[in-house]
Amino acid sequence: MVTLNKIYTKTGDTGTTALGNGERTEKFSLRVTTYGTVDELNCTLGIARQHVNSSLLPNLINIQNDLFDLGADFCKPISKNQQKKEVSELRISHSQVNRLEQQIDIMNASLEPLKSFVLPGGSISASSLHLCRTVCRRAERYAVELASKELVNTEALKYL
């Protein structure tokens, strides 16, 4: 559980920010860009929720909660000597990835196979979800780049 007592800390005024392990890094670092883009994705899902069919709401709310875990996961670097079993607090888990994949499979089961790309638009809900998709893909690109330079939870990459 995260507790926020103040909205501002006065510690980032010089262009650095604290990571989940207490280290300081530049606000423009790839790690901050990655979890910042996950936060942006969460916001776009919040907008999409205002326009979608109510049957999608429970799934979108679950995803939004997972995205807080995902952002926290990227915010806390994994040290090279850290064992996999130690990497659990505020990390995306295999069960979260599995749940998301199952939800996708259920939704896809009623659809005909696509024969071409889907043109973004059609309705406010569809356009909102297309925006979420593109922000997610951007977050994934940053996460993959981060994983090429530093240790990253593989479940976090799968989730994106």
Side-chain angles (χ1 to χ4, degrees):
M1 175 57 89
V2 175
T3 303
L4 301 174
N5 293 324
K6 292 184 347 184
I7 301 303
Y8 65 94
T9 61
K10 291 191 174 198
T11 61
D13 294 344
T14 60
T16 65
T17 190
L19 296 175
N21 63 358
E23 289 178 32
R24 296 205 63 84
T25 191
E26 296 88 5
K27 289 185 177 186
F28 57 84
S29 74
L30 182 56
R31 182 170 294 280
V32 174
T33 299
T34 301
Y35 69 73
T37 306
V38 169
D39 188 32
E40 182 183 351
L41 172 58
N42 205 340
C43 292
T44 61
L45 275 171
I47 293 168
R49 279 183 39 212
Q50 306 308 307
H51 304 288
V52 300
N53 181 312
S54 62
S55 66
L56 289 177
L57 289 179
N59 290 345
L60 294 182
I61 290 169
N62 282 337
I63 292 168
Q64 283 192 282
N65 282 305
D66 287 349
L67 289 176
F68 278 119
D69 293 348
L70 184 62
D73 195 326
F74 286 125
C75 182
K76 189 171 184 183
I78 299 172
S79 67
K80 289 182 179 163
N81 60 359
Q82 202 170 20
Q83 298 293 325
K84 188 172 184 171
K85 63 182 178 180
E86 296 177 83
V87 182
S88 60
E89 187 177 332
L90 293 176
R91 301 280 182 200
I92 289 292
S93 68
H94 176 71
S95 63
Q96 287 169 296
V97 172
N98 194 43
R99 186 189 72 237
L100 181 62
E101 289 175 346
Q102 287 174 352
Q103 290 171 346
I104 292 168
D105 289 343
I106 290 167
M107 287 184 246
N108 278 341
S110 64
L111 299 175
E112 294 291 324
L114 292 175
K115 300 200 187 321
S116 67
F117 287 103
V118 176
L119 187 65
S123 68
I124 292 175
S125 61
S127 297
S128 296
L129 291 170
H130 275 289
L131 179 60
C132 295
R133 175 184 58 78
T134 61
V135 173
C136 183
R137 290 186 67 147
R138 180 164 28 99
E140 180 185 26
R141 290 190 300 273
Y142 289 136
V144 168
E145 183 180 0
L146 180 63
S148 76
K149 300 172 192 294
E150 301 181 35
L151 287 174
V152 170
N153 175 9
T154 57
E155 297 300 324
L157 296 175
K158 290 176 192 176
Y159 193 90
L160 282 171

